[in-house]
Amino acid sequence: MLRFVPIPTGIARHYQAGGVDSYGLLPERKVSDGGGNPCRHCLRMIPEGKEMLVLAHRPFGAVQPYAETGPIFLCAEECEAGGGADVPEILASPDYIVRGYGADERIVYGTGGVVPTGRIPARAAELLEMPGVDFVHVRSARNNCFQLRVERG
């Protein structure tokens, strides 16, 4: 069984309360146009007209060469954490990068690739069966933006 995992609630609340992002900057406040602004905490699209945050996020515990930092969107107001066994709403593009990481939070070479959205659960399960793969990231196939994490359920 798989579990789709959002960014932790404590980190989301930090940003939503005006805390600085991974670059030490305040999150930008924008209004969603409703066209593809996925919140990385509730794992839903941010509705048109709602305020959102745009910020730099590093979904890793420590700075190291494989700890990518990139832009994400969040609901500006507090939202409930999404995730679970079902593929979240935010995975609405035709395909994504799916890549395995070890317990040391470094890429496990040979695991990354662009996968059709409908195959994400199967590919994540395959990767999580591989020795040395502790978790999986799902990232934008076009811009490499972090979407969510996949773990063993």
Side-chain angles (χ1 to χ4, degrees):
M1 180 183 277
L2 299 177
R3 189 165 53 103
F4 293 89
V5 181
I7 67 169
T9 298
I11 292 171
R13 296 295 182 259
H14 165 81
Y15 295 141
Q16 291 164 333
V20 297
D21 69 11
S22 294
Y23 290 152
L25 302 172
L26 292 175
E28 296 178 5
R29 286 190 164 271
K30 304 284 183 185
V31 175
S32 174
D33 62 7
N37 303 124
C39 177
R40 285 8 181 252
H41 183 251
C42 66
L43 302 182
R44 297 185 181 280
M45 294 297 184
I46 301 168
E48 182 177 358
K50 292 288 187 178
E51 278 201 352
M52 65 181 188
L53 304 177
V54 182
L55 58 107
H57 178 68
R58 186 183 64 247
F60 297 93
V63 176
Q64 40 91 354
Y66 294 88
E68 298 165 289
T69 301
I72 65 166
F73 302 117
L74 278 180
C75 294
E77 299 299 320
E78 289 187 5
C79 56
E80 293 296 316
D86 296 327
V87 174
E89 175 184 311
I90 67 166
L91 298 182
S93 291
D95 50 19
Y96 289 88
I97 296 169
V98 178
R99 185 166 52 220
Y101 291 81
D104 61 357
E105 298 191 324
R106 293 174 183 249
I107 294 169
V108 176
Y109 285 104
T111 62
V114 176
V115 175
T117 303
R119 282 224 0 96
I120 289 173
R123 181 61 181 149
E126 290 168 6
L127 292 176
L128 289 166
E129 291 294 320
M130 293 176 63
V133 174
D134 216 53
F135 62 91
V136 170
H137 275 185
V138 177
R139 292 174 167 269
S140 163
R142 309 299 178 281
N143 301 307
N144 196 35
C145 300
F146 172 80
Q147 303 296 311
L148 53 82
R149 181 172 164 145
V150 183
E151 299 174 350
R152 292 171 188 90

